[in-house]
Amino acid sequence: MTQKRKAFVAGATGYTGQQVVRILAAQGVEVVAHVRPDSASLQRWRDQFEGQGAQVDTTAWEPAAMRQTLADIGPDLVFCLIGTTRARDRQSEADAGYEAIDFGLTRLLVEACAESAPAARFVYLSALGVRPGSRSAYYRARWKAEEAVRASGLAYLIARPGLITGPDREESRPLERVAGVVSGALFKGVRALGGKTLYDAYAPTDAQELGGALVRRALEASEDALVVEPPQLRQERPQA
Ligand SMILES: NC(=O)c1ccc[n+]([C@@H]2O[C@H](COP(=O)([O-])OP(=O)(O)OC[C@H]3O[C@@H](n4cnc5c(N)ncnc54)[C@H](OP(=O)(O)O)[C@@H]3O)[C@@H](O)[C@H]2O)c1
């Protein structure tokens, strides 16, 4: 009998994370959804995730605590779907937030995973356009986070989606929504005119499509080192 797979999902409360938890659970994976311990909506997340058959974990973002949790769970997959945004942090603090959260918490999780669950695959949600030497604090932090994943010795899947948005996005992000609606409409026109390749590469994706692609690729991955971009992240919608 094949053993049940186990997944730990950091960033479970995010737009993408919620779909990843739901799809993993629907596919019979044992899921531990991580929620930060000081979350103001902890009970709401418990109701949602436990209702889907997942467990909720509220380990503090501290190295020793995270090492212990991952040792106790023994996951096959660790998803890192976290990151701050200018909508969450005040703009003046956002650049520091990218370094401390997008890079700092990813490094903390990847190091804890390498030490306590070295056989797990680390699935890191990065972003399209991440490269070394960028002038943007966001891209610099994400490149450093990717480098920490690559240097960890863990098997990994780094996903670099373009804009992630859809009508089901709860959080108010007026600029991203406008960009998503405008570019979504634009790319539908491009696709209608035969530009499927351009559409596949750059049109926004919603969390259901991205979550489905992330879960499928993570469960099916056989190579140790995988970096995937939009054409490979644009899958048919999961039935779950
Ligand atoms: N949105 C896009 O268009 C886009 C495009 C490409 C790549 N990405 C990257 O993909 C990642 C996921 O995107 P998304 O849209 O699903 O993100 P999201 O909805 O903003 O969710 C972000 C997640 O990170 C957690 N988080 C934020 N600050 C934290 C902190 N200080 N401590 C602990 N946890 C914290 C949030 O937890 P709480 O709910 O507790 O705050 C949430 O679970 C992002 O980090 C982003 O950089 C995004």
Side-chain angles (χ1 to χ4, degrees):
M1 195 181 81
T2 8
Q3 231 188 337
K4 196 164 178 176
R5 316 271 299 263
K6 282 189 198 169
F8 179 84
V9 183
T13 58
Y15 178 55
T16 310
Q18 290 180 57
Q19 289 298 326
V20 166
V21 170
R22 184 186 68 78
I23 294 165
L24 283 166
Q27 296 197 4
V29 175
E30 198 175 319
V31 190
V32 179
H34 181 261
V35 181
R36 48 173 143 175
D38 57 343
S39 171
S41 313
L42 183 56
Q43 192 53 49
R44 174 196 154 194
W45 297 121
R46 276 196 194 287
D47 293 345
Q48 176 171 325
F49 294 139
E50 290 175 0
Q52 293 169 342
Q55 294 167 51
V56 169
D57 172 73
T58 57
T59 299
W61 278 101
E62 288 166 9
M66 203 53 93
R67 282 197 299 272
Q68 187 60 54
T69 293
L70 293 180
D72 292 344
I73 296 169
D76 306 292
L77 295 168
V78 172
F79 287 81
C80 183
L81 312 175
I82 55 161
T84 193
T85 60
R86 288 187 190 276
R88 282 174 195 267
D89 276 359
R90 278 180 295 141
Q91 186 144 347
S92 58
E93 293 169 2
D95 288 359
Y98 296 140
E99 178 71 14
I101 295 159
D102 296 52
F103 170 57
L105 297 189
T106 301
R107 179 176 59 179
L108 188 158
L109 188 63
V110 85
E111 288 178 356
C113 184
E115 189 160 325
S116 299
R121 179 177 296 274
F122 197 88
V123 182
Y124 177 53
L125 185 53
S126 184
L128 192 63
V130 167
R131 56 185 163 75
S134 171
R135 288 170 64 180
S136 139
Y138 173 76
Y139 287 104
R140 277 202 307 277
R142 295 241 146 215
W143 177 254
K144 285 171 69 178
E146 284 195 5
E147 287 285 82
V149 174
R150 281 187 281 266
S152 66
L154 294 163
Y156 64 81
L157 167 63
I158 293 175
R160 292 181 180 152
L163 194 59
I164 313 168
T165 193
D168 55 342
R169 180 142 214 157
E170 274 177 26
E171 190 186 353
S172 161
R173 295 186 181 206
L175 289 179
E176 283 186 16
R177 282 292 297 129
V178 169
V181 169
V182 170
S183 61
L186 208 69
F187 277 108
K188 270 185 194 144
V190 167
R191 186 170 53 176
L193 293 171
K196 184 170 183 321
T197 310
L198 204 60
Y199 176 90
D200 283 347
Y202 297 112
T205 181
D206 66 25
Q208 195 177 333
E209 181 180 45
L210 178 61
L214 278 177
V215 167
R216 181 163 43 252
R217 292 202 166 265
L219 290 173
E220 290 174 358
S222 52
E223 303 103 287
D224 282 350
L226 280 170
V227 180
V228 290
E229 294 198 347
Q232 299 162 292
L233 292 170
R234 199 170 294 290
Q235 307 280 329
E236 70 280 5
R237 281 173 181 279
Q239 295 306 304

